[in-house]
Amino acid sequence: MKIIAVGWNYRAHNTEMGRKEECGNPVVFLKPETALLKDGKPLFLPPFSNRIEHEAEIVVRICRVGKNVAPRFAHRYYDALTLGVDFTARDLQQELRQAGAPWELAKGFDGSAAIGTWIPKEELPIETGIDFSLQVNGNTVQTGNTCDMIHSIDNIIAYVSRFFTLKMGDLIYTGTPAGVGPVAIDDHITGYIDNKKVLDFNIK
Ligand code: MG
């Protein structure tokens, strides 16, 4: 199983991070399987960072093998969605970016890929847009709608499958909207898709 993630996919987030240029293609990176955080397990803050930030993202679950998938067929390659958190060691990421080094250490550490409860895609208004939100200690810190993605789910699947063969159970994190920020020990994280709670865990 592999975890594929897309960066810079919502304009308001790109603006808050000071990114002006827009890429023609999705910005893609990977997380290892050991990054997965599921079933409400806590995230233990790692000792190598002083600033772990939440990035709430719609996550897509791949349901069949796909290579060079055409955008018009991409919808057949995923069967469920949930809300996830692409936890990011922002201080380390900034160091790595300044050094021109890859992001993996800042993005792929243990527990950095939280996922919630799956919702079958038939139950969600994919065409008209899916609302999602993240709360820290009951305060809403991020809200988004999939209509605001720069690269749609179908286009992401088509693009990444040119490089990586998609396999059943692979996950794709589709980028975060504005409002990213740090988490601290004892924070309580909850997340919703269309007012349905799918994420609920603590920071330790
Ligand atoms: Mg992200």
Side-chain angles (χ1 to χ4, degrees), residues 53-57 83-87 114 131-144 176-183 188-193 198-201:
E53 291 194 354
H54 55 76
E55 296 188 359
E57 311 197 359
L83 191 70
V85 183
D86 166 22
F87 281 111
D131 284 318
F132 58 96
S133 67
L134 189 80
Q135 289 74 29
V136 178
N137 303 322
N139 302 312
T140 298
V141 290
Q142 290 193 266
T143 58
T176 193
V180 302
V183 294
H188 180 214
I189 309 291
T190 48
Y192 292 81
I193 290 182
V198 293
L199 259 185
D200 191 337
F201 64 98

Side-chain angles (χ1 to χ4, degrees), residues 5-8 13 29 55 57 86 88 103 107 173-176:
V6 171
W8 309 120
H13 169 64
F29 58 98
E55 296 188 359
E57 311 197 359
D86 166 22
T88 303
W103 291 359
K107 287 281 197 181
Y173 284 66
T174 56
T176 193

Side-chain angles (χ1 to χ4, degrees), residues 148-165:
D148 295 324
M149 288 181 179
I150 296 169
H151 305 285
S152 68
I153 292 171
D154 288 352
N155 284 336
I156 291 169
I157 288 172
Y159 183 71
V160 298
S161 72
R162 289 165 55 188
F163 303 89
F164 309 124
T165 297

Side-chain angles (χ1 to χ4, degrees), residues 45-165:
L45 291 180
F48 52 76
S49 173
N50 292 312
R51 193 174 176 91
I52 300 295
E53 291 194 354
H54 55 76
E55 296 188 359
E57 311 197 359
I58 291 291
V59 184
V60 171
R61 184 176 71 190
I62 297 298
C63 61
R64 57 195 285 191
V65 173
K67 177 74 180 171
N68 291 320
V69 176
R72 70 185 184 281
F73 297 129
H75 64 96
R76 299 181 185 171
Y77 288 79
Y78 69 100
D79 65 350
L81 290 83
T82 190
L83 191 70
V85 183
D86 166 22
F87 281 111
T88 303
R90 195 69 71 198
D91 46 358
L92 182 55
Q93 186 192 32
Q94 275 158 3
E95 280 175 34
L96 293 167
R97 285 174 67 191
Q98 275 166 14
W103 291 359
E104 272 75 7
L105 297 177
K107 287 281 197 181
F109 55 89
D110 290 356
S112 63
I115 50 165
T117 311
W118 293 107
I119 302 176
K121 75 173 182 202
E122 295 76 21
E123 296 176 17
L124 291 167
I126 307 259
E127 298 299 322
T128 51
I130 303 161
D131 284 318
F132 58 96
S133 67
L134 189 80
Q135 289 74 29
V136 178
N137 303 322
N139 302 312
T140 298
V141 290
Q142 290 193 266
T143 58
N145 186 288
T146 52
C147 280
D148 295 324
M149 288 181 179
I150 296 169
H151 305 285
S152 68
I153 292 171
D154 288 352
N155 284 336
I156 291 169
I157 288 172
Y159 183 71
V160 298
S161 72
R162 289 165 55 188
F163 303 89
F164 309 124
T165 297

